[in-house]
Amino acid sequence: MILPKNNRLTPEQVVEITGVVAEFGCKIQPIVGAVRTIYAIVGDERDDLMINRLEGLDYIDRIDRIQSPFKLMDRRSDLANHRIAIGSVTLGDELLVIAGQCTIDPKNPNYYLETSQAVKEAGANALRGGVWKPRTNPYSFQGDARSLEILMEASRRTGLPVVTEVMEQEHINLALDCGVHVLQIGARNALNYSLLRQIGRAIAGRNTTVMLKRSIHNGPLSEFISAAEYIAAFGNPNVILCPRGTQPQLDGYRNQPDESITPLLKEKTWAPVVVDPSHSVGKAGYVPAAALAAVAYGCDGLCLEAHVSPSHGIGDDPKQAVTPAVLTDLIKRARALHAALRPQPAVATHA
Ligand code: PEP
Ligand code: MN
């Protein structure tokens, strides 16, 4: 929809605009109001080149898009009924709980193996475990490819699917070769379009899923969904959106909790939403409340950092990881809340 700066376009401007949109196979149709006339673009208006050309005309106030810029991830796309299963859980049917250590310590594999068994017993459906870590400081522990074997051993022992973050093509190849079920794109790489293309290409034709975290910079939701579209565009639409907090605005929380974007995402896209309260609030004590808030906002799953002995963890675990006892209680309460919020079947009444 074209909104001119003046109340209507001059005949010369109509000629110019008609010429531009015709190059893209479109026409314009005036919608005449009492005071203002606006102009509908008739045809496929999604071409950015056309929009950019029109926006560049100095007599145009703005262009409002009617069609969604995300052809695949849009709620109204042909994929609207696409379902993603992680292990035994089909997202949307029951609450998915992913839990495990932030980081696998290759020198102490038993911690990861014990944590994995404990999170399974707590009721988690999938394991998380960082093999490669995006660290702010180049001298901090960067992860170790040898931890991949520990991750897969935990998966074999527990029978649970695993999630790990990848940051480059080599990680993607190694993780896929080992049979990692869900590849995570972290908040720092959430807008790395080369990596998004690489991962989309790599998972095409496979059953693998990508969990895409939201970038930390608090960008618009369309930016988050467009990042998912980059991945899906290669043919495998198994993409989960993961809000994980944005730039901190409160002294107490590591990031600004953003689980409240869940209903907004659900209005725009069919993609499942799995919220990560651990990175959002950044302190174990706040995680249960943030997790329950996420469920109340309608998320399809939670991704939680947990450790059998947080103080012996590395990476985020000493601060963020909840213990198996807290996790057990949290999962029970989250599942009960999720069930309570589901639409209830109508109860038959007797006359
Ligand atoms: C993580 O999952 O441990 C992690 C580093 O995540 P994020 O990208 O959300 O910071
Ligand atoms: Mn972490």
Side-chain angles (χ1 to χ4, degrees):
M1 192 68 72
I2 302 168
L3 290 87
K5 281 185 182 153
N6 291 330
N7 283 341
R8 63 191 58 79
L9 295 171
T10 65
E12 296 74 30
Q13 290 166 346
V14 169
V15 169
E16 183 173 28
I17 287 189
T18 304
V20 172
V21 300
E23 286 180 43
F24 298 89
C26 296
K27 295 182 179 152
I28 57 166
Q29 174 72 49
I31 301 170
V32 182
V35 179
R36 242 187 130 178
T37 299
I38 59 175
Y39 301 81
I41 301 171
V42 183
D44 190 343
E45 52 150 52
R46 282 177 295 203
D47 197 317
D48 278 342
L49 287 178
M50 175 176 73
I51 304 290
N52 289 348
R53 290 263 300 278
L54 295 172
E55 283 173 341
L57 299 170
D58 61 4
Y59 50 86
I60 298 298
D61 179 20
R62 62 173 206 269
I63 311 287
D64 282 354
R65 289 175 190 250
I66 306 295
Q67 283 170 315
S68 167
F70 3 99
K71 299 179 194 174
L72 301 169
M73 301 310 292
D74 190 283
R75 241 176 84 82
R76 294 159 299 185
S77 83
D78 292 346
L79 286 164
N81 295 321
H82 180 67
R83 309 301 289 281
I84 302 176
I86 306 295
S88 61
V89 175
T90 299
L91 283 148
D93 286 357
E94 57 180 295
L95 189 74
L96 174 76
V97 179
I98 304 167
Q101 290 176 199
C102 170
T103 307
I104 301 173
D105 182 351
K107 295 202 186 98
N108 292 297
N110 282 341
Y111 275 127
Y112 191 70
L113 297 172
E114 282 168 27
T115 294
S116 302
Q117 189 56 38
V119 304
K120 179 185 178 169
E121 283 162 20
N125 315 104
L127 303 176
R128 60 152 290 146
V131 172
W132 300 281
K133 297 306 299 179
R135 302 305 301 274
T136 311
N137 189 303
Y139 308 114
S140 304
F141 177 65
Q142 304 284 312
D144 189 323
R146 285 172 297 177
S147 297
L148 200 47
E149 196 32 56
I150 305 168
L151 180 73
M152 297 320 292
E153 177 62 20
S155 177
R156 281 189 287 276
R157 290 193 191 182
T158 57
L160 296 180
V162 288
V163 182
T164 205
E165 175 166 358
V166 289
M167 291 179 285
E168 53 190 75
Q169 184 74 57
E170 194 196 346
H171 301 167
I172 299 174
N173 297 344
L174 288 170
L176 289 178
D177 285 351
C178 284
V180 170
H181 310 83
V182 181
L183 304 180
Q184 172 178 312
I185 295 288
R188 291 157 190 79
N189 274 311
L191 302 177
N192 177 345
Y193 298 115
S194 315
L195 183 64
L196 297 177
R197 278 203 202 89
Q198 285 172 349
I199 204 162
R201 219 174 268 127
I203 65 162
R206 293 174 178 260
N207 199 20
T208 314
T209 296
V210 172
M211 183 165 80
L212 174 68
K213 298 249 188 142
R214 185 178 183 211
S215 155
I216 197 162
H217 84 96
N218 200 14
L221 299 186
S222 57
E223 177 188 81
F224 189 15
I225 302 169
S226 293
E229 183 87 16
Y230 260 90
I231 302 170
F234 288 90
N236 179 347
N238 288 349
V239 187
I240 295 172
L241 299 176
C242 181
R244 47 77 74 206
T246 59
Q247 285 291 349
Q249 287 165 23
L250 295 165
D251 285 345
Y253 294 152
R254 177 177 178 183
N255 288 299
Q256 176 67 15
D258 62 348
E259 65 281 334
S260 60
I261 67 170
T262 303
L264 305 177
L265 288 172
K266 288 188 164 288
E267 269 170 30
K268 290 181 190 294
T269 170
W270 56 264
V273 177
V274 170
V275 172
D276 172 349
S278 301
H279 290 86
S280 167
V281 292
K283 276 188 198 149
Y286 305 135
V287 167
L292 293 172
V295 175
Y297 273 111
C299 71
D300 302 292
L302 295 168
C303 180
L304 301 158
E305 289 190 341
H307 196 295
V308 276
S309 178
S311 63
H312 288 99
I314 53 177
D316 296 328
D317 286 324
K319 280 190 188 160
Q320 284 176 195
V322 294
T323 60
V326 171
L327 185 69
T328 305
D329 179 60
L330 171 55
I331 293 178
K332 265 196 210 108
R333 289 194 289 150
R335 292 231 161 94
L337 179 59
H338 188 254
L341 293 171
R342 288 191 84 82
Q344 304 295 312
V347 180
T349 51
H350 298 284

